[in-house]
Amino acid sequence: MAFCIESVIRRISSSAVRKLSNVAEPARLPEEPLPLFRTNECNPVNHTIDHLKRFYTIPPNERKRLFFTNAMPKAFEVNAKTFNECSIMIRRPFLEIISYLHQCDYSRPVNKFVIYGETGSGKSVSLMHMVHYGHMSGHIVVHVPWLQRWYEFPKEYAKSHIREGLTDLPIESATWLGHFKIQNKHLLQSLDLRTSKDYVWSARESNLKGTPILDIIDFGTSRIKFASEIIITLMQELKQWCADGKCKVMVIIDGYNALLSNHTRVRNENKQFIPTKEVTITHAFLDITKSDWNNGAVIVGVDKDAVKETKDSVLPRYLLQKEGFEHLDPFIPVKVEKYDDGEFEMMIEYYKDRKWIRNLTPKGYRELQLLTDKNPGKLSIFCASL
């Protein structure tokens, strides 16, 4: 009896299979082709000349880690929020710098690059691209988004507890330490970087040799009166770790010429405005951009909007002045130009895709070219009202 039941079950099952096989599968919709102005390659380490003039999108988790607090140009940040994505055009200055980096001898003193160009040409966005590249290529990233903000709009200033004659920016310093920690936490933990000597902050507070650097950073963010001094310590330790081959570092600073300004809105204990050389954190970032260390790279942007004294030229020699030029020398200048015709077209197509502009006629397209002179910053402003 059992044998008969099993036979019936097999016949029913085979019949059901034949019926199901005759049912047509639902048709799959063809995948929508990728627009010409986009690329699927979201890792900047893999960007080549084949990706030139195309947009790539930084994944949300990486964007949150790298550019979370005032780490993007304000206009770009507003657009990224509006477009619901953080997309960057792959431009020639970025490809030029990484081509040099691929040929560098990291056993030699650090190679330096100075990005310059007209206001609105895209220098800050190119530096953002470099920050993402440094993160993805395994560098510890020392990223300062816009130095001028610290000197022009300080939230608080106080006499240094350690360095005579210098003034600290406690809140700005502690905020930057938090920014550095979030950007590099995964590397700082995996590399297990520790201090090379003892550090004494006050009569009661100190850190012994071998203290994990994350503990030092946490101390700086909790005891903000020492935050500026801890940034100096961090820069010194980073240089030592690079020399020992424990890590590689990429320094990326926007508005670097602000470090050399004689005018700030920071006051000393006598309530007088002081030059940047009397601000503690100035010495930290001047130190990390010296040529006395290896196993890293220094990439800075200079901008005539970063200082009040110089407005006539965008050339590095003029903006850095004699002192800054000699401090960075030797370096490779990299100019960020306004859009060429191909880049301008791709930017317009991106704006159309994001519904930022609509119903643009050929006459309107040409008018935008003439009104903006193909300057990225001006184009963004003009398109905002369309």
Side-chain angles (χ1 to χ4, degrees):
M1 183 67 178
F3 175 80
C4 295
I5 291 174
E6 289 179 1
S7 301
V8 171
I9 291 174
R10 283 198 295 270
R11 286 198 295 271
I12 293 174
S13 300
S14 60
S15 175
V17 169
R18 285 195 300 272
K19 287 181 180 179
L20 288 173
S21 62
N22 293 328
V23 177
E25 293 185 2
R28 292 185 179 179
L29 295 175
E31 291 186 6
E32 187 176 343
L34 195 69
L36 181 63
F37 60 85
R38 289 190 185 272
T39 175
N40 277 328
E41 183 53 74
C42 293
N43 186 345
V45 175
N46 299 326
H47 289 163
T48 66
I49 196 71
D50 295 332
H51 304 105
L52 187 64
K53 302 178 186 179
R54 296 189 178 186
F55 284 85
Y56 87 99
T57 302
I58 301 177
N61 60 326
E62 292 175 15
R63 173 194 170 185
K64 185 177 180 180
R65 183 185 304 121
L66 298 176
F67 309 108
F68 67 101
T69 305
N70 293 325
M72 293 189 282
K74 188 63 178 178
F76 185 92
E77 186 175 4
V78 170
N79 282 354
K81 185 177 181 180
T82 303
F83 300 155
N84 197 30
E85 65 177 23
C86 182
S87 293
I88 294 177
M89 182 187 290
I90 301 165
R91 302 189 67 193
R92 195 169 296 278
F94 167 79
L95 296 177
E96 181 180 348
I97 292 175
I98 65 170
S99 71
Y100 294 141
L101 292 176
H102 291 160
Q103 302 172 59
C104 286
D105 182 355
Y106 284 90
S107 64
R108 303 281 184 174
V110 289
N111 287 275
K112 303 177 187 178
F113 305 88
V114 176
I115 292 179
Y116 70 101
E118 295 290 342
T119 300
S121 59
K123 302 183 294 296
S124 296
V125 177
S126 294
L127 289 173
M128 283 178 58
H129 201 169
M130 288 306 312
V131 170
H132 194 200
Y133 171 85
H135 171 73
M136 298 302 294
S137 58
H139 289 78
I140 292 177
V141 179
V142 176
H143 176 220
V144 184
W146 184 245
L147 269 173
Q148 191 262 358
R149 185 186 298 116
W150 294 352
Y151 300 121
E152 194 66 19
F153 308 103
K155 293 183 175 64
E156 183 182 333
Y157 34 80
K159 179 183 177 181
S160 174
H161 294 270
I162 297 176
R163 297 179 184 263
E164 185 69 28
L166 297 185
T167 300
D168 291 345
L169 300 179
I171 295 177
E172 283 77 9
S173 299
T175 301
W176 186 84
L177 283 172
H179 172 68
F180 175 83
K181 177 183 175 181
I182 292 174
Q183 280 188 323
N184 300 286
K185 187 174 182 179
H186 65 297
L187 268 179
L188 298 177
Q189 288 176 331
S190 62
L191 296 175
D192 191 28
L193 299 173
R194 297 174 179 268
T195 55
S196 59
K197 59 181 181 180
D198 298 341
Y199 289 98
V200 178
W201 314 112
S202 67
R204 295 183 177 182
E205 295 165 305
S206 63
N207 290 109
L208 299 177
K209 176 182 178 181
T211 301
I213 195 60
L214 284 173
D215 291 351
I216 301 287
I217 294 172
D218 289 339
F219 176 73
T221 54
S222 61
R223 300 281 283 131
I224 66 172
K225 72 176 184 178
F226 301 117
S228 294
E229 184 64 27
I230 286 174
I231 292 179
I232 292 181
T233 299
L234 177 62
M235 298 302 110
Q236 294 172 348
E237 290 289 348
L238 285 172
K239 291 165 66 172
Q240 185 60 51
W241 294 328
C242 285
D244 296 339
K246 295 180 179 179
C247 64
K248 51 184 179 178
V249 171
M250 184 172 289
V251 180
I252 302 172
I253 302 177
D254 196 4
Y256 181 82
N257 50 314
L259 284 173
L260 311 162
S261 174
N262 291 318
H263 301 282
T264 70
R265 296 187 65 83
V266 181
R267 298 177 186 267
N268 59 14
E269 57 184 342
N270 298 320
K271 305 302 180 184
Q272 298 173 328
F273 290 122
I274 60 175
T276 56
K277 64 183 178 182
E278 294 182 21
V279 180
T280 309
I281 55 175
T282 299
H283 297 267
F285 295 112
L286 285 176
D287 182 48
I288 197 67
T289 51
K290 289 180 180 178
S291 300
D292 59 351
W293 58 289
N294 63 341
N295 209 20
V298 173
I299 305 163
V300 302
V302 293
D303 196 300
K304 61 183 181 181
D305 290 338
V307 292
K308 290 185 175 180
E309 303 98 302
T310 54
K311 293 287 184 181
D312 298 334
S313 174
V314 299
L315 297 176
R317 178 62 181 86
Y318 185 79
L319 292 176
L320 291 168
Q321 304 178 58
K322 184 175 185 293
E323 179 186 357
F325 190 91
E326 291 178 351
H327 178 80
L328 287 177
D329 191 50
F331 63 83
I332 300 173
V334 178
K335 186 175 183 181
V336 180
E337 303 275 5
K338 61 186 180 181
Y339 287 147
D340 60 24
D341 289 338
E343 289 174 328
F344 185 86
E345 181 182 357
M346 292 296 189
M347 191 74 246
I348 292 295
E349 289 301 317
Y350 179 76
Y351 283 156
K352 287 180 179 178
D353 179 74
R354 297 287 92 191
K355 305 296 187 291
W356 193 235
I357 54 178
R358 301 187 184 193
N359 305 321
L360 185 65
T361 64
K363 183 178 179 181
Y365 180 90
R366 180 58 178 161
E367 186 174 352
L368 280 176
Q369 277 187 321
L370 296 174
L371 286 172
T372 64
D373 193 29
K374 293 182 284 189
N375 179 285
K378 291 180 180 178
L379 178 63
S380 178
I381 293 172
F382 271 87
C383 289
S385 58
L386 295 179

